[in-house]
Amino acid sequence: VWTPWYIASGCFLQCGTEYFERKRFCQVGSRGDNCEGPETEFKLCPNPECNNITEFNATMNSSDNFMKILANPIQVQTNLLESGKNLGMVNIDSSLKVSNKCGDVINLDLNETVQITSPGYPEKYELGLECSYLVKSENNSRIRVNVEYISLESTSLNACPDSVEIRYYALGQPGLRLCGNYSKMNTTKTIEYQSETNSVLFIFRSDWINRSNGFLIKVASV
């Protein structure tokens, strides 16, 4: 018979499309019968729809357990920019290493900080891109992610045609997808995450219609 379902990865977003994974195990009886049905399922989280996602304000550390995460979901705020104000560009720090190549693998030394940007930043990125950046640090360390700047196409239909996805919880599971407009120059609020392991995967996607200035994110081994 099957064991009861248990949650393998949960719902973290306050709004928007997201899936959680649940698993179960087959307990073989004395007759050796096989269980029928799947061992793993992905189910749609009961999240409400979002407005344009322009700011994520969340800080999670590795001591947070699943129930704490559910009790303190990631906050999503909209309308970051006041009417008539421009998004403040964040310049690349010339004293730090920069990674802007699709498919790049970044190996961090302990306490090292590296900047990850969209290709060509601060110029506009190309259309039709899908780029990955894999960041790894030493064993038993964690990676802190600080979003400095985002200017990625979003729509009034709660969609992200262009986005940067951050898989800081589990590399094989869908992560947070950020789009819209955010700059640390325009707000005192921060967008910060800390990985559960010693690796983080970033996936940048752009469609074939509009383009913008992209993103700048700092990663540090802690």
Side-chain angles (χ1 to χ4, degrees), residues 2-3 23 36-37 54 77 83 87 89 92 108 124 154 166 171 183 185 190-191 193 212:
W2 287 110
T3 62
K23 292 185 176 182
E36 294 184 0
T54 57
Q77 299 182 8
S83 177
L87 190 67
M89 177 64 70
I92 293 174
L108 292 175
K124 292 185 177 181
S154 59
I166 306 176
L171 298 188
S183 172
M185 308 295 289
T190 60
I191 304 178
Y193 310 99
S212 190

Side-chain angles (χ1 to χ4, degrees), residues 11-58:
C11 300
F12 304 109
L13 297 180
Q14 190 177 25
C15 64
T17 302
E18 184 185 14
Y19 293 86
F20 70 90
E21 181 185 14
R22 66 177 190 171
K23 292 185 176 182
R24 59 183 178 175
F25 293 100
C26 182
Q27 297 175 319
V28 180
S30 59
R31 296 183 301 173
D33 295 338
N34 292 324
C35 299
E36 294 184 0
E39 184 179 83
T40 301
E41 284 187 345
F42 289 91
K43 309 289 284 188
L44 188 66
C45 294
N47 300 343
E49 290 186 359
C50 295
N51 295 316
N52 289 341
I53 298 175
T54 57
E55 182 172 8
F56 290 85
N57 182 18

Side-chain angles (χ1 to χ4, degrees), residues 35-115:
C35 299
E36 294 184 0
E39 184 179 83
T40 301
E41 284 187 345
F42 289 91
K43 309 289 284 188
L44 188 66
C45 294
N47 300 343
E49 290 186 359
C50 295
N51 295 316
N52 289 341
I53 298 175
T54 57
E55 182 172 8
F56 290 85
N57 182 18
T59 303
M60 298 200 325
N61 57 55
S62 57
S63 65
D64 286 331
N65 60 33
F66 179 61
M67 295 309 295
K68 286 183 180 178
I69 292 170
L70 290 182
N72 299 281
I74 292 168
Q75 300 298 306
V76 179
Q77 299 182 8
T78 61
N79 301 320
L80 174 64
L81 297 178
E82 296 179 13
S83 177
K85 286 193 174 182
N86 295 321
L87 190 67
M89 177 64 70
V90 178
N91 295 322
I92 293 174
D93 186 343
S94 60
S95 66
L96 299 175
K97 294 180 181 179
V98 180
S99 172
N100 60 7
K101 297 179 182 178
C102 292
D104 210 357
V105 177
I106 302 102
N107 292 295
L108 292 175
D109 294 328
L110 190 61
N111 298 321
E112 182 183 15
T113 299
V114 171
Q115 299 165 108

